[in-house]
Amino acid sequence: MTVSNPQPLPTTFDPAAIEARWYQHWETKGLFRPHRPEAEPFTIVNPPPNVTGSLHIGHALDNTLQDVVIRYERLRGKDALWVVGTDHAGIATQMVVERQLEAQQDKRTNYTREDFIAKVWAWKEESGGTITRQLRRLGCSMDWSREQFTMDPHFTRAVIKTFVDLYRDGLIYRDKRLVNWDPKLKTAISDLEVETQTIPGHFWRFKYPLADGARTEAGADHLIVATTRPETMLADMAVAVHPADERYQSVIGKHIILPITGRRVPVIADEHADPELGSGCVKITPGHDFNDFEVGKRAGIAPAAMLNMFDPQANVCQTADGLVPQEFIGLHRFRKDGVDGARELVVKRMKELGLLVPFITKDKDGNEIALDAEPRQIPTPFGDRGGVVIEPWLTDQWYVNAAELAKKPTEAVRRGDIEIVPRSWEKTFFNWMENIQPWCISRQLWWGHRIPAWFDKDGKIYVAESAEEAQQQAGEGVALRQDEDVLDTWFSSALWPFATLGWPEADAPLLQRHYPNSLLISGFDILFFWDARMMMMGFYHLDKRPWDRLYLHGLVRAADGAKMSKSKGNVVDPLGLIDKYGADALRFFMAAMESQGRDIKMDEKRVEGYRNFATKLWNAARFCQANGIGASASIAAPPARLAANQWIIGEVAACAAAIEAAMAELRFDNAANAIYQFTWSKFCDWYLELIKPVFAGDPDSPAALETRSVAGWALDQILVMLHPFMPFITEELWHRLGAREYELIVAKWPAPQAEVSREATEAIDWVIELTTNTRSARAELGIAPGAKLAAYIAEPSPVASRTIARSAAAIERLARLAPVTIGAAPPGAAMQVIAGEDVFIIPLEGVIDIAAEKARLEKALAASQKEARSLEGRLANPAFVERAAPQAVDKARADLAHHQGEIARLTAALARLG
RNA sequence: GGGCGUAUAGCUCAGUGGUAGAGCACUACGUUGACAUCGUAGGGGUCGCAAGUUCGAACCUUGCUACGCCCA
């Protein structure tokens, strides 16, 4: 879509009108992945969003940062590949479809597994594209032609191979142990999916009668145990005391007759019992508590022998010894939906039996009262998806030996082979990796990668890449049944950096070229879930790091600093912000606020400010267009003689260097601010103002031709440098300004290749200082800003002599000084303005308030004197001169000289006023 | 209990040894053409507190306070 006859730009900038058009253009022309076989590869894989998802503000941040990097590297000529796709998200997706069924009074279990999975696929085909459409609205330049899904056939092959390989290497195994069980979703989940929250609860104390006439040292015929979960006493298998606890030496090895069940259980000695806590006696329920599980194993109870009292929904079931009274069977573990459960009934029965030790406290009037239990804050595990209390439950599950797989990644980070940015996350990473627990990867779901393991009727396991292969292992005629469970979603997404590139085909060209990836950008919240596991799998399969660098960003918070959540109702919809301010403004906000990992507080005013910035650029382009400034044909800076033109060329080079330095260390904020300040404060505020007089004269003069050429080039450089942050407006202007051989998205990064003239820089800096100081003096003295004033300069400095002649028009227009006469001013009241070493005398007889001018000069004098005194003090200190860095001393001397000069000029100026 | 982080202008944030900045907000002035989604000028900070190191500390060290996050 090259525009050969540029149409005048509309007077107002309307983001919505251009965004969809340009995105579609880029995508259909394949510009997100230009063919660059010779170029250096640069690779990012996106954190695949849940296929059920829609774009939230965190995605907006994450993907903006990735797009800034990928567009930047593409402009720098790299073979930039941004892999995109979505995650099948086992639990989340299954929940979405189950909820739909519920809405129709239907449920999953009314269908066969195959039929239900077909429904999920149908849902995915119909509604799964929401988030990918939304990523397009944000302007993300991913390679959609290779869009991936974690349940694509090739991806499934990779997952199955991974499972089989790990199993054969002994790194995946089946084990019976306690897992975190979600009774709502009826599946096991991993440690990471459990969130501990402290909630109000109770602490009950029970008497457990000793059997066979045993007594404690103090003579009691019972032990007192305390618990926050009384219902679990139905599956108690022991009471533990500390081996050194003198109070209980006589009962170790004796027995308890448990109330309610009548179960006879031993009193055991175990260091887990803390003598300092409560009575020092602890009830032990190995089948329903992680600590007790370990105590039970130490006491010689095999996991298979541990009593289980819950069904998958955490309703009470009969224990293996048949001792749970009938009235408990089927009750929920605790009060639910207003109905009392096993917990409440246990307390009631214990109280009736006189075995509840009341909690004595005082009411608000100071009267002593007895409560059933002590109110306490209880740290409680919740499932991050289902939101209900997690039940430790004894089951057979598949585990990954994470500790073994963690070794190479940990070394790699320690060696600096993988760079984590910001570095402060390294410690957290090491701490987790070095204390890592076995990773439970089986999930009792239907939607996901089914575990490639088969059992024969004796429970013997055959792990294979296909049913045929498993049958081969088992032998003909042996009846096999495939494991019903699926794999943790993170097990598959851990393969993302290479399975998306063609692995396990070893000679996959993309894999050869783009693995290891260059960079991964993710929120720190998935460092363990995903990033660490990609490292494990990358090293396991390919013996190489998945990426050179890992950049971790923070959370986007609400304006008040609170975490955004649907329940709080404080979520900000990025699409709403795009509608209101444009995608470019939202992107720029995200980049400008991103300073290495700290959280970003939402500030809509700031988004608005960046929309204003886009408008500013739009209007600057309109000005250029109106003055015949258009597309530049050269990458290198055009030849320039005029000071302003030389100056802006130097400023372009400085800006490009600043962005490059910032991007090299992933300082998105510094990069964004560099182009912002250059565009607004240098190009618009000064350069365009400086060149306006050139266009007032002969439009074909050499000066006008040169200026049009340089201005067009400089504006082009702005568009290129700003493009990674604001792709839409820059692409639009790129084409509006003239016919182009290629789109901006595949343009060339600035390479000015120009010497910056020191004289030109000095001259423009001098004009700027003169202008600013003159404006300031006028404002303070109440002189009309627009009034043209004659000025006299008696002894011009070299820079003044050169510049007054060459830039008279600019001085007249900006400082509103004309004519400027070299020579003594006529006597009389005058305003005096200083620029560098030069003093301008501006006669204002009859207009000027002498007292005000005096006050103004005295104020400036006082400021200079204060600075000078401070510098003198420092330089008078021998310790400073001897010990400080020589550059620091030189700078102090130069600063002092400057202030002394300033003092002399101001003193003289005051003297002239009389 | 362990670890990490934060505290700088009214607000949101930059600033890793040389005497403090940006955007927004605020005040005053300004619309005979790039832009009022703007321009010009200006006010505003004992850099959380205390001690130490140093010629010199927002920055380094230690302690304290407050807030946040992660792990147990």
Side-chain angles (χ1 to χ4, degrees):
Chain A
M1 171 169 11
T2 44
V3 182
S4 46
N5 292 309
Q7 299 292 310
L9 285 163
T11 46
T12 51
F13 163 52
D14 177 14
I18 63 170
E19 289 176 0
R21 182 157 52 82
W22 280 116
Y23 197 90
Q24 202 191 6
H25 177 80
W26 292 325
E27 188 173 354
T28 52
K29 285 198 74 180
L31 297 176
F32 295 150
R33 188 77 210 294
H35 185 62
R36 290 176 177 174
E38 306 303 318
E40 186 187 336
F42 185 90
T43 316
I44 298 181
V45 296
N46 81 321
N50 290 355
V51 68
T52 57
S54 54
L55 194 80
H56 59 61
I57 201 90
H59 292 124
L61 170 63
D62 190 60
N63 287 286
T64 293
L65 300 181
Q66 292 175 74
D67 198 42
V68 167
V69 172
I70 209 82
R71 284 182 186 267
Y72 171 68
E73 297 294 354
R74 193 186 292 120
L75 288 169
R76 299 213 304 160
K78 300 236 180 104
D79 176 17
L81 168 62
W82 188 6
V83 174
V84 63
T86 48
D87 193 292
H88 68 277
I91 293 180
T93 309
Q94 181 164 323
M95 279 171 73
V96 165
V97 177
E98 286 193 279
R99 267 203 297 273
Q100 283 187 329
L101 291 177
E102 269 169 42
Q104 302 156 29
Q105 279 79 49
D106 202 349
K107 58 183 179 182
R108 171 171 61 107
T109 47
N110 288 348
Y111 296 86
T112 64
R113 181 172 185 139
E114 286 65 36
D115 288 346
F116 177 77
I117 289 174
K119 280 184 179 297
V120 182
W121 276 108
W123 177 89
K124 188 251 174 191
E125 293 313 319
E126 202 182 316
S127 316
T130 303
I131 193 153
T132 57
R133 281 193 300 277
Q134 293 169 331
L135 285 168
R136 287 174 165 93
R137 284 208 59 198
L138 191 60
C140 295
S141 58
M142 298 140 157
D143 179 16
W144 296 107
S145 71
R146 300 190 60 265
E147 184 176 348
Q148 310 269 320
F149 181 54
T150 52
M151 294 236 304
D152 285 341
H154 71 277
F155 214 96
T156 299
R157 270 201 303 282
V159 172
I160 299 299
K161 178 173 167 52
T162 300
F163 187 95
V164 173
D165 286 357
L166 284 167
Y167 179 78
R168 288 184 184 154
D169 287 344
L171 294 167
I172 280 184
Y173 55 93
R174 195 162 165 81
D175 198 7
K176 182 188 277 292
R177 44 184 283 168
L178 285 186
V179 288
N180 299 296
W181 183 263
D182 187 318
K184 180 177 175 194
L185 303 171
K186 284 169 271 179
T187 178
I189 58 176
S190 77
D191 299 349
L192 286 175
E193 291 158 287
V194 176
E195 286 174 359
T196 303
Q197 291 175 42
T198 302
I199 56 167
H202 293 90
F203 198 59
W204 287 270
R205 289 177 180 80
F206 293 151
K207 291 180 188 170
Y208 276 11
L210 285 156
D212 314 319
R215 302 268 168 175
T216 66
E217 301 289 345
D221 62 353
H222 61 269
L223 298 181
I224 292 179
V225 297
T227 181
T228 60
R229 302 199 54 199
E231 66 279 11
T232 61
M233 75 167 286
L234 301 175
D236 274 356
M237 297 184 75
V239 170
V241 297
H242 194 273
D245 195 332
E246 291 178 0
R247 294 170 291 180
Y248 303 117
Q249 291 300 314
S250 62
V251 298
I252 293 172
K254 300 288 194 296
H255 289 80
I256 292 282
I257 300 295
L258 282 174
I260 298 179
T261 56
R263 182 179 301 126
R264 182 181 168 91
V265 302
V267 178
I268 60 175
D270 193 288
E271 309 219 331
H272 170 63
D274 183 351
E276 306 292 316
L277 269 178
S279 66
C281 304
V282 191
K283 63 190 273 308
I284 300 297
T285 321
H288 295 288
D289 181 280
F290 287 99
N291 286 317
D292 294 6
F293 179 79
E294 297 301 324
V295 175
K297 279 206 304 193
R298 284 197 289 272
I301 305 171
M306 291 175 182
L307 294 174
N308 171 48
M309 56 169 283
F310 287 128
D311 69 10
Q313 292 152 81
N315 293 327
V316 176
C317 64
Q318 186 55 271
T319 51
D321 59 8
L323 291 173
V324 176
Q326 196 55 40
E327 62 171 342
F328 286 90
I329 305 296
L331 293 180
H332 190 60
R333 51 189 169 169
F334 46 63
R335 192 177 170 85
K336 182 188 175 192
D337 302 330
V339 179
D340 281 353
R343 175 173 301 174
E344 290 73 24
L345 187 57
V346 163
V347 171
K348 183 168 177 236
R349 291 290 174 254
M350 290 299 278
K351 197 172 178 184
E352 288 164 3
L353 291 166
L355 297 173
L356 177 79
V357 182
F359 175 68
I360 309 298
T361 184
K362 290 190 173 154
D363 67 12
K364 60 184 193 308
D365 300 325
N367 303 314
E368 207 161 83
I369 52 164
L371 301 177
D372 284 356
E374 175 188 349
R376 273 204 189 179
Q377 295 297 114
I378 315 289
T380 309
F382 287 85
D384 66 355
R385 289 280 167 191
V388 301
V389 175
I390 290 305
E391 192 63 46
W393 206 44
L394 196 59
T395 52
D396 289 302
Q397 302 286 343
W398 291 95
Y399 292 89
V400 168
N401 181 346
E404 183 59 34
L405 291 177
K407 284 180 184 166
K408 283 189 176 174
T410 311
E411 282 167 35
V413 174
R414 216 178 277 292
R415 269 203 314 274
D417 222 23
I418 296 174
E419 186 191 357
I420 297 183
V421 182
R423 208 168 167 170
S424 51
W425 282 103
E426 279 186 3
K427 231 175 175 168
T428 308
F429 175 78
F430 290 137
N431 188 47
W432 190 70
M433 289 296 253
E434 284 161 6
N435 296 291
I436 197 162
Q437 296 301 307
W439 172 18
C440 175
I441 49 169
S442 37
R443 298 288 181 275
Q444 286 65 47
L445 304 173
W446 281 357
W447 175 244
H449 295 107
R450 192 152 171 192
I451 292 175
W454 284 260
F455 302 96
D456 64 18
K457 64 178 180 3
D458 302 323
K460 187 160 186 267
I461 299 167
Y462 305 91
V463 169
E465 293 195 27
S466 67
E468 295 72 37
E469 227 180 279
Q471 193 67 60
Q472 238 173 358
Q473 286 179 28
E476 251 179 82
V478 177
L480 291 182
R481 172 179 59 81
Q482 188 175 0
D483 195 314
E484 294 290 323
D485 294 346
V486 300
L487 289 161
D488 181 4
T489 304
W490 297 105
F491 185 87
S492 50
S493 49
L495 313 181
W496 195 247
F498 46 92
T500 53
L501 299 174
W503 187 90
E505 311 305 324
D507 55 352
L510 279 173
L511 186 66
Q512 300 281 332
R513 195 165 160 73
H514 291 279
Y515 190 93
N517 307 160
S518 311
L519 171 69
L520 186 91
I521 295 183
S522 91
F524 62 69
D525 51 330
I526 53 173
L527 172 60
F528 303 143
F529 275 113
W530 191 50
D531 305 346
R533 285 161 176 173
M534 279 187 281
M535 292 193 218
M536 294 180 190
M537 294 301 190
F539 276 103
Y540 174 69
H541 279 310
L542 296 152
D543 202 28
K544 276 191 217 156
R545 60 179 183 258
W547 1 262
D548 305 339
R549 276 176 137 183
L550 170 61
Y551 182 85
L552 296 169
H553 62 251
L555 255 50
V556 182
R557 297 180 166 277
D560 61 358
K563 210 165 158 174
M564 286 189 195
S565 74
K566 278 184 194 155
S567 54
K568 278 187 212 152
N570 61 351
V571 290
V572 174
D573 176 15
L575 300 167
L577 291 171
I578 290 174
D579 291 339
K580 202 164 166 192
Y581 302 108
D584 286 333
L586 177 63
R587 292 168 57 106
F588 204 93
F589 167 78
M590 291 295 179
M593 298 304 289
E594 177 59 30
S595 68
Q596 297 226 326
R598 78 184 267 163
D599 288 349
I600 294 176
K601 262 187 236 182
M602 194 60 226
D603 182 357
E604 198 172 322
K605 292 296 286 180
R606 203 142 179 158
V607 182
E608 186 187 343
Y610 293 129
R611 190 272 319 265
N612 295 352
F613 172 64
T615 305
K616 182 79 182 176
L617 174 66
W618 184 267
N619 284 312
R622 281 179 59 219
F623 168 80
C624 289
Q625 195 182 46
N627 287 283
I629 296 163
S632 174
S634 78
I635 304 295
R641 289 181 57 251
L642 267 54
N645 287 332
Q646 288 196 34
W647 175 78
I648 199 67
I649 290 168
E651 294 292 337
V652 166
C655 179
I659 294 174
E660 286 159 21
M663 290 302 290
E665 47 180 5
L666 298 171
R667 284 303 304 258
F668 295 94
D669 55 343
N670 289 347
N673 287 329
I675 186 62
Y676 181 99
Q677 291 299 340
F678 172 69
T679 303
W680 200 318
S681 308
K682 293 270 166 63
F683 185 81
C684 292
D685 285 353
W686 291 108
Y687 180 67
L688 292 184
E689 297 303 325
L690 284 163
I691 65 173
K692 275 178 183 174
V694 178
F695 298 121
D698 173 8
D700 295 320
S701 69
L705 292 174
E706 173 190 305
T707 300
R708 272 201 293 275
S709 156
V710 171
W713 175 85
L715 181 55
D716 273 4
Q717 307 314 301
I718 288 177
L719 298 180
V720 176
M721 292 189 286
L722 183 57
H723 180 77
F725 304 92
M726 294 190 155
F728 294 111
I729 186 176
T730 52
E731 186 76 80
E732 174 75 7
L733 291 175
W734 177 258
H735 292 282
R736 289 278 197 168
L737 286 164
R740 304 285 187 172
E741 287 175 20
Y742 41 77
E743 282 79 356
L744 178 60
I745 187 175
V746 289
K748 314 268 189 299
W749 188 255
Q753 296 174 311
E755 288 288 313
V756 181
S757 150
R758 203 187 136 85
E759 276 192 9
T761 307
E762 271 178 6
I764 298 302
D765 288 345
W766 184 84
V767 171
I768 289 173
E769 190 184 348
L770 172 62
T771 302
T772 306
N773 290 350
T774 307
R775 285 171 178 168
S776 181
R778 283 174 195 258
E780 282 187 57
L781 295 179
I783 311 289
K788 265 181 204 158
L789 305 171
Y792 296 83
I793 175 168
E795 295 166 20
S797 65
V799 59
S801 314
R802 282 200 311 272
T803 311
I804 288 167
R806 288 181 59 183
S807 303
I811 293 168
E812 175 175 352
R813 187 180 173 92
L814 298 181
R816 312 295 292 174
L817 294 179
V820 176
T821 307
I822 296 181
M831 174 172 86
Q832 302 179 62
V833 173
I834 291 168
E837 291 170 19
D838 295 292
V839 181
F840 286 77
I841 296 176
I842 299 151
L844 284 168
E845 192 80 59
V847 180
I848 192 170
D849 175 347
I850 305 263
E853 173 67 350
K854 255 181 126 162
R856 189 180 73 85
L857 295 173
E858 273 163 358
K859 194 175 142 199
L861 179 61
S864 246
Q865 282 170 333
K866 190 179 162 208
E867 286 296 319
R869 267 198 303 275
S870 156
L871 288 160
E872 276 164 357
R874 220 189 310 169
L875 286 162
N877 181 347
F880 174 69
V881 180
E882 283 160 27
R883 301 166 82 162
Q887 307 95 294
V889 179
D890 290 347
K891 182 169 185 301
R893 291 202 171 112
D895 288 351
L896 178 59
H898 166 77
H899 284 293
Q900 283 168 336
E902 199 82 351
I903 288 165
R905 287 185 282 278
L906 287 163
T907 308
L910 280 162
R912 274 191 291 273
L913 283 178

